[in-house]
Amino acid sequence: MNKYCLLVLLFFVTVVASAQERKISGTLTDRDTHEAVTQTTVQLLKSDSTFVGGSISNEKGEFALTAPADGSYLLKVSSVGYLTYYKKLQITDGKNLALGNIVMNADAIMLKGATVTGQAVKVTVREDTFVYNSAAFRTPEGSTIEELVKRLPGAQISDDGKITINGKEVKKILIDGKEFMTGDTQTALKNLPTSIVDKIKAYDQRSDLARVSGIDDGDDQTVLDFGIKKGMNMGVFSNIDLAQGTQSRYADRLMGAYFKDEYRVMLFANANNTNDMGFPGGGGRGNFGRNRDGLNATKMLGTNFNYEKKDKLKIDWSVRWNHSDGDVQSRVATENFVSKAGSFSNSLNQSYSRSNKWNARGRLEWQPDSLTNIMFRPTFSYSTSDGMSTSTSGTYNDNPYNYVADPLLASSIAQMSADSLMVNSRSLNSISYTQKQEAGGMLQLNRRLSANGRNVTVRADVDYAKTNAKSLSLSNVHLYQVKDATGVDSTYQTNRYLQTPATAWTYSLQATYSEPLWRGTYLQFRYKYGYSRTTSDRATFDFSNLGEGFFGSQSPLYRGWNSYLSMLASPYESYRDQRLSRSSVYTNYTHELEMMLRFVGKKYKLNAGFMVQPQSSHFTQNYLGQLADTTRSVFNVSPALELRYKFSDVSQLRINYRGTSSQPSMSDLLDIVDDSDPLNVHRGNPGLKPSFTNSLRFFYNTYRERRQQAFMTFLDYSNTRNAVSNRVTYDEITGGRTTQPDNINGNWNANAGLMFNTAIDSAGVFNVNTFTNLGYNNYVGYISLNSTSGSQRNVTRSLSLSERLATSYRNSWFEIELDGSFTYARSKNKLQLQNNLNTWQFAYGATLNFTLPWGMQLSTDLHQNSRRGYADRALNTNELVWNAQLSQSFLKGSPLSVSVQFFDILRQQSNFSRAVNAYQRTDTEYNSINSYAMLHVVYRLNLFGGKDARQQMRNKRPQGDGEGPGGMPPGGAPGGVRPMGSGRPMGGGF
């Protein structure tokens, strides 16, 4: 009996103990907006400030943590843009403690320039949206958001500025969910300072049509949505950044914004000649030759306007002017895979360019009532571009670097000509000018017919473009394997002046209808009629074979063709060549009929359907003495499937499939041999078939809030039936090529990626993130074994594997990130074993940020970049790239900062890059300035909110009684950290 009593007693004690969780819970809300404050660090401390445990508020602002024992504790709540909240707690009898609603106050002083001491979670996930906290990615003082995007897990910025995140290209930038410079991602990246950004969201945004009608048209766009810090959505703020450097470098940037109630205006100005490199210099972390393509100077003016009256009217408008000047010198070495015989070429090119472009885009969305949505999007642009270039090139039947150091020197050419290694050489001068005017618009009307999903949409699009282009090219070719009648090497000149006016009209009309069948099931129809007409009338004036030195006294100048044309014996109009002149008219009529079933459940969304597309084209052309008049009619079928399954609010699977047809160009279908350039002859193919591509994508993401772990993986696969490839016949004697398009099967590719980010501790001080990418391509094309045989089918299989692993530690004054990356590339060629590649590129190093006393900040990064596996030993290099910045803040609230930047301190960064595809390997070296120093002066003017907010700024030090917003805990700040607003703020920035 005593045993049974003891067991019952033990069971009772266990139940009571399990019930005494000492759970501390609450909800965080914004004082001004009354919205939930998410992703906020909540810490439980002992009375002596020793860390006990931590948590992060969820999307509803809720948090929960557990006290290990009864006693006195201190609750600390910290978030970017808010005053740190302290509250003394007393836990007794093992009871839970519900704190209810905790109101967070915006920190006006932090917005003025104090350094954030709270630890923010790097990345969280909500359904299909990735949310990145800017405070968790510390960037050097004065940085723009481009530097922030570079550090986001899963994000990449290519050499040409293209942004990809989680394997998808970013097509649009939003600011607080509002459109910003639509169609232009670079303006935001290069001009918005990181200091105004709170969170960045990455997600897929549906098209205007899909958003209002619910009908998926396959036109989703991946967007980056930058959220402005709390408290900055009312008032005036500006950022002026002036910089001068050694090597005549300069970078000036101006940004101003006015936010008030329902509207906001932002102005931008930018002028620099640093290739917009930002900081750190872009050469670290395995980026060989990145942003080093010549000496480029750009100028920009822009304005963006947003107005929103909730559920009634939205107006977005942006206008920008861009100017660029380019001075690009490149040395290019190429090995062509078009023949089993060696085919190598080298060129030295010098080009100058300048351009101006005005662009205006707008959106007006009006909801006259709760059932009707009207949207109008106008676009306008005007641009001019000038270019002039000179180049010298040579083609060889073996690798010239096996015989000489510089293949383009006259002495080298003479030596290789004597050894029968030279095939041809060419010198080319050219001048060009293009003027383009564009205008267009979209008008869309949607009407909901019932509350259960029945709706109808009508839409009209129209676009017009007018182009006027002029160009002059002077080419001199030397053929070393072909002799003339006198027994010496053959030469010929091609001198031509072209005038090419062109116009293009496009319009379309479409209607959609959605009919609910039963609960959660809809039948959707879409019909679209499209019309396009393009006309071109190129006049060619040919004055070739006047002798190698006929225009030798002239040098290229912008639009300077008159100085050349005036040397002709007759007016240039008399040299018109009717055979080489080309006029064409292309008219296309398209009908699209789409039917789709849409199923919506609690956990899933499924769209399945198909589109049929009858298409008729009419093409006329007068070229090379032949008048072509042809009509083509085709019938395309495109199936589509999309599944979204939600395992939870933070875990989701997406599967997308779409089949698309594409037609060969009408000019490729004409049975015409274009020999206007004897070294590059093009032959048409009337037998070309349409190609069909299957595209499949799997995407999965999840998030473990308690451990602050974000996971994402994707797999993309596509194959193309009847892909168009070029049969290339290479003439070993002249170095010329004859290409003819032809259909081929066997092309497919797959790409997979994985991103994982985790905090090692509950406070988020230690963090690890990794991004892995695996790609495989099966390229099928044609090569010519020799000049007398036809092209043969060749397969090139390419495998690429890349990995970036980074771990970081951060506290209130110090951050260090250690990172390593590698890219492995393997390429196997079926018929050309000598062109197989097996190369590695890897990098490793550290990035450090120090917030020092008296408003000083030091940022530096040091990375070793290495290449291995190249047959040319000169490419197996090591580059140790070191960049640094030291900044000092001044004045009350730190609105003024002065910084010194040092780029490539060790002078080891190269200008070399390599690109490989199925047809050739190209090595390019550009002129650029990599190593220099710059002095930046940054000033911020910030007037946020109304009278109360500005009074809070002037008071600077928040008042508190040791419990509540901004209050000091007994004995001072925990861990010796100076709280916000206590004395002089540390560091600069908003």
Side-chain angles (χ1 to χ4, degrees):
M1 183 67 178
N2 291 336
K3 292 182 180 180
Y4 287 114
C5 292
L6 181 59
L7 289 174
V8 171
L9 178 62
L10 289 174
F11 176 76
F12 177 76
V13 171
T14 302
V15 171
V16 172
S18 63
Q20 295 176 337
E21 296 179 358
R22 304 181 184 88
K23 181 179 178 181
I24 303 168
S25 61
T27 303
L28 308 178
T29 59
D30 185 283
R31 182 194 66 180
D32 299 321
T33 66
H34 306 293
E35 296 176 351
V37 180
T38 64
Q39 308 306 314
T40 297
T41 303
V42 182
Q43 294 178 319
L44 187 65
L45 313 172
K46 291 183 178 180
S47 56
D48 61 356
S49 300
T50 303
F51 179 80
V52 176
S55 180
I56 302 295
S57 62
N58 63 18
E59 73 278 6
K60 298 179 181 179
E62 300 169 344
F63 69 89
L65 38 76
T66 303
D70 291 348
S72 298
Y73 295 94
L74 183 68
L75 184 76
K76 177 184 176 183
V77 183
S78 58
S79 180
V80 178
Y82 293 95
L83 294 173
T84 302
Y85 178 94
Y86 295 101
K87 186 176 181 65
K88 290 180 287 187
L89 307 177
Q90 187 70 36
I91 304 296
T92 59
D93 301 328
K95 294 181 179 179
N96 296 337
L97 181 59
L99 300 177
N101 193 42
I102 297 176
V103 178
M104 301 294 290
N105 295 324
D107 187 353
I109 299 170
M110 191 282 299
L111 297 176
K112 283 287 282 186
T115 297
V116 179
T117 59
Q119 305 304 328
V121 184
K122 281 195 170 185
V123 56
T124 59
V125 179
R126 287 293 178 268
E127 296 188 4
D128 61 349
T129 300
F130 285 74
V131 182
Y132 304 90
N133 287 279
S134 67
F137 304 91
R138 196 166 293 170
T139 56
E141 172 68 19
S143 298
T144 63
I145 60 174
E146 182 176 25
E147 299 305 319
L148 185 58
V149 172
K150 289 177 184 177
R151 299 163 195 258
L152 301 182
Q156 296 173 307
I157 301 181
S158 66
D159 294 354
D160 58 1
K162 183 177 74 174
I163 313 166
T164 56
I165 193 155
N166 300 332
K168 299 186 71 176
E169 182 180 354
V170 174
K171 296 293 186 66
K172 185 186 291 187
I173 298 292
L174 304 180
I175 305 295
D176 278 341
K178 297 176 173 59
E179 296 197 358
F180 180 83
M181 295 289 181
T182 303
D184 173 27
T185 59
Q186 295 300 303
T187 297
L189 289 182
K190 305 295 186 183
N191 293 278
L192 280 177
T194 58
S195 52
I196 71 171
V197 176
D198 178 17
K199 291 180 174 61
I200 307 104
K201 297 179 181 179
Y203 54 90
D204 288 341
Q205 184 184 65
R206 298 211 159 189
S207 67
D208 293 334
L209 178 64
R211 182 170 56 84
V212 299
S213 68
I215 297 179
D216 181 19
D217 58 359
D219 197 22
D220 290 4
Q221 290 185 322
T222 300
V223 304
L224 282 180
D225 187 351
F226 294 87
I228 302 297
K229 286 179 178 177
K230 297 290 185 181
M232 297 185 67
N233 53 5
M234 182 75 73
V236 177
F237 62 92
S238 65
N239 189 88
I240 303 172
D241 184 349
L242 305 177
Q244 290 290 325
T246 60
Q247 305 287 339
S248 301
R249 303 295 90 190
Y250 65 86
D252 302 322
R253 184 182 297 114
L254 168 67
M255 190 278 292
Y258 177 56
F259 292 0
K260 182 178 180 181
D261 299 328
E262 298 168 335
Y263 63 89
R264 54 178 62 185
V265 181
M266 304 182 78
L267 301 172
F268 299 90
N270 189 321
N272 77 86
N273 64 354
T274 62
N275 288 16
D276 273 325
M277 288 192 304
F279 182 89
R285 302 171 181 169
N287 295 318
F288 288 93
R290 179 171 179 176
N291 285 340
R292 300 296 186 274
D293 50 345
L295 304 177
N296 299 290
T298 62
K299 299 178 178 64
M300 188 276 295
L301 290 173
T303 181
N304 193 84
F305 173 80
N306 302 104
Y307 172 85
E308 181 174 359
K309 191 172 183 63
K310 192 172 182 181
D311 299 327
K312 197 69 177 178
L313 181 64
K314 294 180 182 179
I315 300 176
D316 303 305
W317 194 261
S318 65
V319 179
R320 71 180 185 273
W321 166 73
N322 294 89
H323 173 82
S324 65
D325 287 286
D327 173 3
V328 180
Q329 185 180 93
S330 62
R331 183 179 292 272
V332 182
T334 303
E335 180 179 4
N336 299 290
F337 305 155
V338 297
S339 170
K340 273 201 141 183
S343 175
F344 298 82
S345 61
N346 282 66
S347 65
L348 179 62
N349 314 286
Q350 174 66 63
S351 66
Y352 299 93
S353 63
R354 67 182 182 188
S355 67
N356 286 280
K357 183 173 184 178
W358 286 93
N359 183 279
R361 294 172 179 260
R363 180 183 74 150
L364 186 150
E365 186 172 352
W366 178 40
Q367 294 178 261
D369 55 56
S370 60
L371 302 178
T372 308
N373 181 286
I374 301 173
M375 184 181 299
F376 176 57
R377 286 185 178 271
T379 61
F380 307 94
S381 71
Y382 173 79
S383 63
T384 61
S385 61
D386 285 278
M388 56 182 181
S389 65
T390 61
S391 71
T392 302
S393 63
T395 302
Y396 320 88
N397 55 31
D398 198 359
N399 190 341
Y401 289 104
N402 293 336
Y403 305 92
V404 296
D406 187 345
L408 294 175
L409 288 177
S411 56
S412 299
I413 292 176
Q415 174 185 333
M416 288 187 288
S417 176
D419 295 334
S420 299
L421 297 172
M422 288 297 304
V423 178
N424 67 53
S425 64
R426 170 184 280 191
S427 62
L428 176 67
N429 292 338
S430 66
I431 305 171
S432 63
Y433 170 73
T434 302
Q435 180 186 70
K436 190 171 185 179
Q437 305 164 52
E438 296 176 282
M442 182 277 289
L443 180 64
Q444 176 178 284
L445 169 64
N446 172 263
R447 176 74 177 180
R448 285 195 296 135
L449 305 178
S450 68
N452 59 358
R454 183 180 292 113
N455 70 81
V456 62
T457 305
V458 293
R459 170 171 168 161
D461 294 80
V462 62
D463 292 287
Y464 170 76
K466 181 180 180 181
T467 305
N468 188 17
K470 298 179 181 180
S471 65
L472 173 71
S473 62
L474 310 174
S475 172
N476 183 71
V477 176
H478 190 139
L479 302 176
Y480 295 87
Q481 308 282 339
V482 179
K483 306 300 180 180
D484 62 14
T486 62
V488 299
D489 296 343
S490 295
T491 63
Y492 69 89
Q493 297 81 44
T494 304
N495 306 323
R496 289 169 186 161
Y497 175 56
L498 308 179
Q499 296 178 339
T500 312
T503 59
W505 272 103
T506 302
Y507 74 82
S508 65
L509 301 171
Q510 64 178 313
T512 66
Y513 177 75
S514 179
E515 173 66 27
L517 300 180
W518 52 83
R519 182 169 180 172
T521 305
Y522 306 87
L523 182 61
Q524 301 173 335
F525 298 94
R526 182 173 69 91
Y527 170 75
K528 179 180 179 181
Y529 169 74
Y531 169 85
S532 64
R533 179 182 173 88
T534 303
T535 63
S536 176
D537 188 9
R538 186 185 75 192
T540 301
F541 305 91
D542 186 86
F543 32 90
S544 301
N545 297 317
L546 297 178
E548 292 189 38
F550 186 83
F551 294 107
S553 60
Q554 300 296 322
S555 298
L557 296 172
Y558 287 135
R559 306 182 206 178
W561 35 70
N562 287 338
S563 61
Y564 291 85
L565 300 179
S566 62
M567 298 180 64
L568 299 175
S570 304
Y572 78 87
E573 291 86 354
S574 63
Y575 290 86
R576 179 167 178 138
D577 190 322
Q578 290 299 134
R579 181 177 179 273
L580 296 178
S581 296
R582 179 175 181 172
S583 62
S584 64
V585 178
Y586 177 63
T587 308
N588 188 58
Y589 308 87
T590 304
H591 300 267
E592 294 180 3
L593 181 61
E594 184 177 48
M595 184 176 71
M596 185 167 290
L597 274 173
R598 185 182 181 206
F599 304 91
V600 180
K602 185 176 180 180
K603 291 283 189 179
Y604 68 89
K605 294 180 180 179
L606 174 64
N607 295 336
F610 65 93
M611 179 182 69
V612 295
Q613 186 187 62
Q615 179 179 340
S616 176
S617 303
H618 182 214
F619 183 67
T620 61
Q621 174 182 271
N622 189 356
Y623 183 48
L624 299 175
Q626 300 185 47
L627 179 61
D629 189 336
T630 182
T631 300
R632 179 182 60 185
S633 296
V634 296
F635 188 86
N636 301 321
V637 179
S638 299
L641 173 71
E642 180 187 32
L643 171 65
R644 299 189 185 199
Y645 188 84
K646 186 171 72 171
F647 298 97
S648 67
D649 287 342
V650 296
S651 183
Q652 180 181 236
L653 171 67
R654 292 184 62 180
I655 301 175
N656 295 83
Y657 167 78
R658 187 169 289 271
T660 56
S661 298
S662 60
Q663 306 299 323
S665 68
M666 294 295 285
S667 58
D668 281 345
L669 289 169
L670 298 179
D671 190 13
I672 294 178
V673 178
D674 184 354
D675 58 356
S676 55
D677 181 353
L679 293 183
N680 292 282
V681 178
H682 181 271
R683 183 187 297 273
N685 183 357
L688 282 179
K689 302 174 183 177
S691 60
F692 187 89
T693 300
N694 296 288
S695 299
L696 182 64
R697 178 178 175 86
F698 294 87
F699 184 91
Y700 173 76
N701 63 262
T702 189
Y703 181 69
R704 299 179 66 185
E705 192 160 17
R706 183 164 184 169
R707 296 180 179 269
Q708 302 178 31
Q709 293 178 342
F711 175 83
M712 178 279 304
T713 185
F714 67 86
L715 171 64
D716 294 328
Y717 171 82
S718 70
N719 64 49
T720 302
R721 186 173 70 248
N722 289 326
V724 177
S725 179
N726 283 322
R727 292 182 180 269
V728 181
T729 302
Y730 177 69
D731 190 330
E732 302 168 20
I733 303 299
T734 66
R737 304 179 200 178
T738 300
T739 62
Q740 183 180 36
D742 200 358
N743 294 113
I744 199 167
N745 290 316
N747 281 304
W748 63 272
N749 66 81
N751 187 38
L754 183 148
M755 184 275 291
F756 179 68
N757 185 88
T758 182
I760 300 177
D761 62 318
S762 59
V765 173
F766 291 93
N767 188 277
V768 174
N769 69 78
T770 179
F771 183 71
T772 307
N773 193 270
L774 174 66
Y776 185 87
N777 291 275
N778 194 79
Y779 299 108
V780 183
Y782 294 103
I783 68 168
S784 176
L785 298 180
N786 53 61
S787 58
T788 60
S789 65
S791 296
Q792 294 190 18
R793 178 187 170 98
N794 185 40
V795 180
T796 301
R797 296 181 175 91
S798 176
L799 172 70
S800 64
L801 174 65
S802 63
E803 165 68 22
R804 183 178 186 271
L805 177 66
T807 182
S808 63
Y809 167 83
R810 69 195 309 266
N811 57 30
S812 60
W813 64 273
F814 172 68
E815 178 183 45
I816 180 172
E817 180 182 81
L818 303 177
D819 66 87
S821 64
F822 74 85
T823 299
Y824 169 70
R826 180 181 181 183
S827 179
K828 296 186 67 175
N829 198 298
K830 181 179 180 181
L831 295 182
Q832 298 171 300
L833 301 181
Q834 73 275 15
N835 295 326
N836 291 346
L837 298 173
N838 197 33
T839 62
W840 293 81
Q841 292 187 2
F842 53 92
Y844 51 89
T847 302
L848 296 93
N849 288 279
F850 300 87
T851 302
L852 307 174
W854 311 293
M856 184 175 291
Q857 186 184 73
L858 173 64
S859 303
T860 185
D861 81 283
L862 182 68
H863 283 84
Q864 173 88 349
N865 301 328
S866 302
R867 282 183 287 237
R868 295 293 184 272
Y870 292 97
D872 186 348
R873 292 186 178 182
L875 301 180
N876 297 319
T877 60
N878 297 307
E879 299 176 7
L880 186 61
V881 182
W882 179 24
N883 307 287
Q885 173 179 305
L886 181 65
S887 65
Q888 173 67 55
S889 300
F890 299 93
L891 305 180
K892 183 178 180 180
S894 306
L896 176 66
S897 65
V898 178
S899 62
V900 181
Q901 292 179 338
F902 301 92
F903 295 89
D904 190 18
I905 298 172
L906 303 179
R907 298 177 180 270
Q908 292 198 15
Q909 188 164 5
S910 71
N911 307 327
F912 175 89
S913 64
R914 166 168 283 190
V916 180
N917 58 33
Y919 302 103
Q920 63 184 24
R921 184 196 72 226
T922 303
D923 299 331
T924 307
E925 185 176 10
Y926 289 102
N927 63 320
S928 65
I929 297 175
N930 300 335
S931 181
Y932 59 94
M934 295 201 77
L935 175 67
H936 283 260
V937 178
V938 181
Y939 182 78
R940 304 183 182 92
L941 172 67
N942 310 305
L943 298 173
F944 303 121
K947 180 179 179 181
D948 293 340
R950 290 192 292 270
Q951 182 64 41
Q952 187 182 2
M953 291 182 189
R954 288 192 290 268
N955 291 341
K956 194 168 186 180
R957 179 170 179 169
Q959 298 300 314
D961 58 1
E963 183 174 318
M968 285 281 291
V977 177
R978 178 176 295 190
M980 289 294 191
S982 177
R984 180 178 178 84
M986 296 173 63
F990 289 102

